[in-house]
């Protein structure tokens, strides 16, 4: 794992590890939250380099990553990617992340037993999609639950792979099953959709990711199937931005053209492409606290979760610091919610497998300083 240097704002947050929560797949059952299910992988107590883990996997029966957590009707629902075994080697396109369906996790509160739902949506049931059901998100409006998801379409680029588009599926149950719309959202591209609903009810989608997420192939507003596999490789110019767009009232289409969610440095200038500890890579997530919009994201190859703050859901957002230091494993993707009077960070690592493509969702408390800045979390203990 390539790890960047820690920023000067990093402050370790000391928390007791949460209990390991294991579960049953049907709605009415949950196993003892201290005991691994039969056939589940053994949970290592220490990382390969000897460090302890701040928190433990929420479930061990399946591999899960990219957790999008929400509170619906007082309960916590987590919409993760569902990692699967594959012999595809690691590459910059993310081919090793071969996920093809979604399973939803549910718990009454953090630390309670976790229920794993049945298959909520499979790529074979999405008419326009070909493969790779990557990080999803969810929303609720007017009695309907919405599942937003990226997948490759059936086109072919220079690598023989489809272009990423974003789809939407609906259900009357937060755990599914969900029925996908027959076409992707018009004008959508790239990956990692995350939907934020503001106080006035307006809904915004944040999305995008470089490298395998293909955002760099849209730099001129039109998809280039022969474009770069990584980024623009222009270190002295503004970094590529994640995208933000207002959704229509039914949450099924874009209400406007997507625009850049620009991240500024302390001097008010856009963060540069060569600033890998601060620039956007993937995994947008936005929340609001005390009238401020917190735009959070992953730095990818330096493995941080960062945050920037703005006064509008569109940004620009001023960089503030790291939320989470590098975990075990290459990817870092997260979500943040408020529940039971506390703020919680959901993330994932490779504690169970020590393989980049087989991850496990975790959760730990998020703490704010009086000025609204976030205390940096170290995912390891001594």
């Amino acid at each position: 794992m390539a790890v960047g240097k820690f920023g000067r704002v990093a402050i370790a947050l000391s928390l007791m590890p949460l209990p390991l929560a294991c579960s049953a797949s049907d709605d009415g059952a949950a196993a003892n939250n201290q005991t691994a299910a039969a056939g589940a992988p053994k949970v290592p107590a220490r990382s390969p380099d000897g460090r302890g883990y701040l928190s433990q996997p929420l479930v061990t029966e399946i591999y899960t990553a990219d957790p999008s957590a929400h509170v619906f009707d007082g309960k916590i629902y987590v919409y993760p990617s569902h990692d699967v075994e594959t012999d595809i080697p690691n590459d910059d396109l993310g081919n090793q992340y071969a996920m093809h369906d979604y399973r939803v996790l549910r718990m009454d509160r953090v630390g309670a037993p976790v229920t794993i739902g049945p298959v909520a949506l499979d790529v074979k049931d999405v008419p326009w999609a070909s493969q790779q059901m990557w990080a999803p998100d969810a929303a609720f409006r007017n009695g309907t639950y919405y599942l937003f998801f990226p997948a490759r379409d059936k086109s072919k680029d220079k690598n023989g792979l489809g272009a990423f588009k974003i789809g939407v599926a609906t259900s009357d149950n937060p755990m599914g099953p969900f029925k996908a719309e027959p076409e992707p959202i018009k004008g959508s591209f790239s990956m990692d959709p995350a939907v934020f609903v503001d106080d006035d009810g307006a809904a915004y989608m944040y999305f995008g990711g470089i490298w395998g997420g293909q955002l760099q192939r849209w730099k001129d507003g039109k998809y280039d199937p022969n474009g770069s596999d990584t980024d623009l490789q222009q270190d002295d110019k503004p970094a590529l931005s994640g995208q933000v767009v207002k959704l229509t009232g039914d949450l099924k289409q874009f209400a406007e053209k997507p625009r850049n969610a620009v991240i500024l440095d302390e001097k008010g200038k856009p963060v540069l492409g060569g600033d890998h500890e601060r620039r956007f890579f993937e995994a947008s997530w936005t929340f609001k606290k005390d009238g401020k919009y917190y735009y959070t994201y992953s730095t990818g190859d330096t493995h941080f979760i960062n945050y920037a703050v703005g006064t509008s859901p569109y940004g620009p957002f001023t960089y503030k610091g790291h939320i989470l230091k590098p975990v075990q494993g290459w990817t870092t993707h997260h979500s943040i919610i408020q529940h039971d009077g506390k703020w919680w960070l959901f993330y994932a690592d490779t504690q169970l497998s020590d393989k980049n493509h087989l991850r496990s969702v975790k959760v730990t408390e998020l703490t704010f300083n009086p000025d609204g800045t976030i205390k940096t979390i170290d995912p390891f203990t001594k």
Side-chain angles (χ1 to χ4, degrees), residues 135-174:
D137 193 23
F140 174 75
R141 175 164 288 182
N142 297 331
T144 298
Y145 295 91
Y146 295 79
L147 181 69
F148 304 94
F149 61 94
R152 294 187 188 272
D153 67 14
K154 296 178 181 178
S155 64
K156 300 291 183 182
D157 66 5
K158 64 180 180 179
N159 302 300
L161 300 169
F164 269 109
K165 301 289 179 62
I166 297 172
V168 59
T170 56
S171 176
D172 61 2
N173 188 314

Side-chain angles (χ1 to χ4, degrees), residues 337-374:
I337 63 169
Q338 190 175 21
H339 190 254
D340 277 352
K342 296 181 178 181
W343 289 87
W344 302 98
L345 172 72
F346 288 77
Y347 64 103
D349 68 10
T350 61
Q351 178 181 357
L352 284 185
S353 70
D354 199 28
K355 297 179 180 179
N356 286 334
H357 69 285
L358 296 176
R359 297 157 291 179
S360 299
V361 167
K362 297 184 169 186
V363 62
T364 193
E365 188 177 353
L366 188 74
T367 303
F368 293 83
N369 295 308
D371 63 357
T373 55
I374 298 172

